Amino acid sequence: MLSKPIDTAPLKAQFAQLFGPGGKIHVVRAPGRVNLIGEHTDYNDGFVLPMAIEPYVLVACRGRDDATVRVASSHFPNQTIEFSVQSKIKREEPQWANYVRGVAAELLAAGIPLVGMEALITNTLPVGGGLSSSAAIMVSTGLAMLKVAGLTMDPSRLALIAQRAEHEYAGVPSGIMDQTIVAAAKAGHAMMLDCRDLSKQYIPLDPAELRVVVVNSMIKHENSSGEYAKRRKQCEEGVAFFQKQTPTIKALRDVTMTQLELSKGKLDDVIYRRCRHIVTENGRTIDFAMQLTKRNYELAGEQMVASHNSLRDDYEVSLPELDFLVDESMKQKGVYGARMTGGGFGGCIVALMQPGAVEAFTPAIQASYSKKFGTSPTIFATVPTGGANVLE
Ligand code: GLA
């Protein structure tokens, strides 16, 4: 259940204006996500613990009798793009459309018989905010293409297809966290995902006891900037080192604390610290899940702060703005924990707090951040929503 019903009428009206009236117009929604803990662990076969948030991507769509797909975005007026599901789909300008082309191409490659479609995309999810707008666009347009073809798909399979599209068409070697939570979230719950076997454990977040608050640093985050791919390579270097001694090690997920400690001095210091982040972050994520389940919110919050510090010092993906937001958040009454969330180098922090703490938190953080950095951050509290769905 979503917290507030979504009014789809304005989008459908815009759709009819753009593509003409008539036929059945469907509306598909995909949420953004915030990761509570388990950062950069997904591409190391590790554990992550995200939840879906209320801001979303919406797609209004209608099937066509031919094989032509025409897609527009309310954020890029006068840029309706077109391709055919019967020819090879190329990666080309404009960039935003590659998310759609990519999903179509990967669905076709998986043997899914797509048909033509008209679609209009809109979103309340900030693009470049580190809240998985790209995964939400891919999963929602994928679901739209399935819907107009009269098909359905297991959310975890759609997530894997969207991930392949992100690799091949957006040029980002992302892990599987974002697509999975966007496609398979459960309302009222966070999801602990084992990124090795893709098993999921849904953990309830009691709204009477907890609020999740997202603070956007307003610094645009981009996984395609190269730093993300660089971290992945450094992790692979780490795996190669540990594999030489212990051939059963397939990913950093398999490295123990003892093996890590023994590598100190032998492994290049940067690679050592990257590995230390991953090994300790997996431990923190498992412990966080346990503390959350037991309602030990203080202990869960401590793990969030430890995660942030490790991302700042060992993984080096934070920024002074994110560090400041975390420090300031932790000074507020009723806040259990805070940390940067997502790939890093901008985007958002997430704070876990008592419900009564939100009212004072928001103006306090707004004031201190504006004073220090001259920009007002966007702040919102959210409940965990369900995964992508066809609204009508
Ligand atoms: C981005 C990627 C995810 C994950 C996070 C870091 O959001 O898309 O797969 O690696 O960064 O945890």
Side-chain angles (χ1 to χ4, degrees):
M1 262 278 288
L2 285 176
S3 50
K4 290 176 221 104
I6 296 174
D7 179 12
T8 59
L11 178 67
K12 285 197 293 187
Q14 223 188 327
F15 178 95
Q17 220 175 18
L18 191 66
F19 294 113
K24 170 72 190 154
I25 303 171
H26 299 284
V27 181
V28 172
R29 158 201 160 269
R33 69 95 185 91
V34 69
N35 188 19
L36 297 178
I37 197 162
E39 215 66 82
H40 289 276
T41 40
D42 61 351
Y43 52 85
N44 288 296
D45 274 5
F47 297 92
V48 292
L49 214 152
M51 59 175 243
I53 58 176
E54 286 162 280
Y56 51 75
V57 168
L58 280 191
V59 182
C61 57
R62 181 171 63 197
R64 281 173 65 103
D65 293 337
D66 60 10
T68 305
V69 175
R70 301 185 70 216
V71 185
S73 160
S74 63
H75 289 267
F76 302 95
N78 312 319
Q79 279 193 2
T80 304
I81 62 118
E82 205 174 293
F83 60 85
S84 165
V85 293
Q86 277 166 1
S87 335
K88 187 173 159 48
I89 301 171
K90 281 192 288 202
R91 180 179 162 176
E92 59 191 320
E93 292 296 322
Q95 273 305 324
W96 67 266
N98 285 327
Y99 294 112
V100 183
R101 295 186 190 107
V103 172
E106 295 300 336
L107 281 168
L108 290 167
I112 310 296
L114 296 182
V115 300
M117 169 179 89
E118 279 145 355
L120 174 62
I121 306 171
T122 191
N123 56 305
T124 62
L125 192 60
V127 171
L131 300 173
S132 283
S133 52
S134 54
I137 288 174
M138 287 179 165
V139 170
S140 56
T141 50
L143 208 52
M145 285 186 270
L146 290 166
K147 181 69 194 171
V148 298
L151 303 166
T152 56
M153 185 180 273
D154 170 63
S156 299
R157 184 171 180 214
L158 181 56
L160 284 165
I161 286 176
Q163 183 196 26
R164 265 200 297 277
E166 182 133 15
H167 289 191
E168 301 303 323
Y169 280 74
V172 179
S174 70
I176 191 63
M177 166 171 73
D178 303 347
Q179 299 83 355
T180 305
I181 188 70
V182 166
K186 187 168 162 187
H189 295 70
M191 175 202 281
M192 165 119 135
L193 175 69
D194 179 335
C195 299
R196 170 160 278 167
D197 64 11
L198 300 184
S199 61
K200 306 168 187 75
Q201 185 194 332
Y202 292 97
I203 304 173
L205 293 190
D206 187 347
E209 296 184 2
L210 281 181
R211 277 294 173 282
V212 173
V213 177
V214 177
V215 183
N216 191 339
S217 70
M218 310 311 278
I219 299 175
K220 280 223 168 185
H221 133 102
E222 269 185 37
N223 285 331
S224 52
S225 67
E227 286 298 329
Y228 185 86
K230 199 162 147 190
R231 294 298 179 287
R232 269 198 92 138
K233 280 203 79 168
Q234 289 167 331
C235 290
E236 282 160 21
E237 271 185 57
V239 174
F241 171 89
F242 288 106
Q243 236 165 24
K244 266 192 218 135
Q245 294 145 356
T246 316
T248 49
I249 288 176
K250 298 272 177 288
L252 290 182
R253 147 81 172 269
D254 304 316
V255 176
T256 64
M257 272 312 282
T258 314
Q259 287 167 328
L260 178 77
E261 274 155 26
L262 287 171
S263 74
K264 191 159 190 198
K266 296 187 198 130
L267 197 53
D268 169 85
D269 181 58
V270 171
I271 307 294
Y272 170 75
R273 287 187 293 112
R274 303 294 188 253
C275 295
R276 183 166 63 185
H277 167 72
I278 302 301
V279 174
T280 56
E281 184 78 349
N282 276 326
R284 282 187 289 270
T285 306
I286 292 167
D287 188 59
F288 178 90
M290 191 175 77
Q291 303 305 350
L292 204 57
T293 309
K294 290 188 184 166
R295 300 176 184 231
N296 289 336
Y297 301 131
E298 274 90 6
L299 293 177
E302 279 173 25
Q303 295 291 21
M304 291 175 79
V305 175
S307 164
H308 181 81
N309 295 344
S310 176
L311 288 159
R312 179 192 63 202
D313 301 335
D314 276 356
Y315 220 61
E316 296 181 278
V317 291
S318 188
L319 288 178
E321 286 84 348
L322 300 172
D323 300 341
F324 179 84
L325 284 173
V326 169
D327 287 349
E328 288 298 304
S329 298
M330 292 313 296
K331 288 183 197 160
Q332 308 305 314
K333 217 169 145 242
V335 174
Y336 294 120
R339 55 184 289 282
M340 57 153 276
T341 183
F345 302 105
C348 297
I349 70 140
V350 58
L352 195 67
M353 64 188 74
Q354 293 166 359
V358 181
E359 206 182 328
F361 178 88
T362 306
I365 298 299
Q366 222 131 30
S368 60
Y369 190 74
S370 309
K371 187 161 170 238
K372 174 105 176 157
F373 295 105
T375 319
S376 182
T378 313
I379 304 179
F380 64 92
T382 179
V383 294
T385 68
N389 59 338
V390 178
L391 294 179
E392 50 194 80

